[in-house]
Amino acid sequence: MALVPCQVLRAAILLSYCSILCNYKAIDMPAHQTYGGSWKFLTFIDLVIQAVFFGICVLTDLSSLLTKGNDSQEQERQLKKLIALRDWVMAVLAFPVGVFVVTMFWSIYIYDRELVYPKLLDNFIPAWLNHGMHTTVLPFVLIEMRTTHHQYPSRSCGLAAVCTFAVGYILWVCWIHHVTGVWVYPLLEHLSQGVKIIFFAAVTIIINIFYLVGEVLNNYIWDTQK
């Protein structure tokens, strides 16, 4: 795909995430006023990750256009660093976390929405915003993977980074419960201590699997193995 259409596409996706974030933050929900605010929800963290990622993509495209035809080696080095950062964020955060949020949310929602997204939230969050947070993330990240080849880090480094993120968020959720006595997600209220440990371990494994899926899909689309 040509560079200019990619630029327009990425800019449009970035603007959509900015709109979603602004509308979400404007909602006067009680949960936003409690300890941790919006940052206790993985959905919000993922939205920030996606917005930052596509912001880096847009910045990379603009830098590519500005340095096109320029023989400056310093500018070329800076562009390569920016591309490397874009690829790392895509591999370690944007794809695995984005796919995890979409698949886990809708899987639990279909089973019993009260465990993850109580019906009470319909009074605060409109349907379009819910889909903006929990649905469009997947096609957006797949479109990015299809339009641009991303260089993945070594598998060990990539998995270590994904594990660090997953464990960090789990510890953050546990800390919030320690401080407030309330679990971020109603689902956790129904699990015993032993089952919670198994659940957290399973979540970590699943997000690592999504990292591997992203690596395999990227290689398949761009045929890097050949």
Side-chain angles (χ1 to χ4, degrees), residues 12-183:
I13 293 175
L14 175 60
L15 289 175
S16 71
Y17 276 123
C18 291
S19 175
I20 291 169
L21 282 168
C22 289
N23 278 276
Y24 178 75
K25 292 297 291 182
I27 296 173
D28 185 19
M29 284 199 308
H32 290 175
Q33 313 305 323
T34 57
Y35 185 84
S38 303
W39 292 98
K40 58 178 169 284
F41 301 113
L42 185 59
T43 292
F44 179 77
I45 295 173
D46 178 51
L47 287 176
V48 173
I49 289 173
Q50 302 298 331
V52 169
F53 168 66
F54 279 99
I56 295 172
C57 288
V58 171
L59 183 59
T60 302
D61 286 339
L62 289 175
S63 298
S64 297
L65 286 175
L66 292 175
T67 59
K68 191 175 183 179
N70 194 325
D71 296 330
S72 172
Q73 293 184 351
E74 179 59 28
Q75 289 184 345
E76 187 68 23
R77 280 196 297 269
Q78 295 301 322
L79 178 59
K80 287 181 178 179
K81 289 181 180 179
L82 196 57
I83 292 173
L85 175 62
R86 179 201 66 188
D87 292 349
W88 188 90
V89 174
M90 172 66 172
V92 172
L93 295 174
F95 186 89
V97 178
V99 175
F100 177 84
V101 167
V102 173
T103 54
M104 288 296 290
F105 174 83
W106 287 112
S107 297
I108 299 174
Y109 185 97
I110 292 171
Y111 175 73
D112 184 357
R113 67 170 295 178
E114 294 298 320
L115 297 175
V116 66
Y117 192 81
K119 196 172 180 61
L120 176 66
L121 291 179
D122 291 341
N123 298 323
F124 300 95
I125 303 176
W128 72 266
L129 186 55
N130 180 29
H131 285 292
M133 297 187 297
H134 297 116
T135 305
T136 58
V137 173
L138 181 57
F140 283 168
V141 78
L142 289 176
I143 288 171
E144 169 60 23
M145 180 169 282
R146 178 62 185 87
T147 57
T148 305
H149 173 252
H150 297 275
Q151 185 67 42
Y152 268 61
S154 66
R155 183 165 294 179
S156 58
C157 291
L159 291 175
V162 173
C163 281
T164 300
F165 174 85
V167 173
Y169 180 70
I170 290 170
L171 293 176
W172 170 232
V173 169
C174 292
W175 174 254
I176 291 172
H177 176 261
H178 172 74
V179 173
T180 65
V182 178
W183 288 105

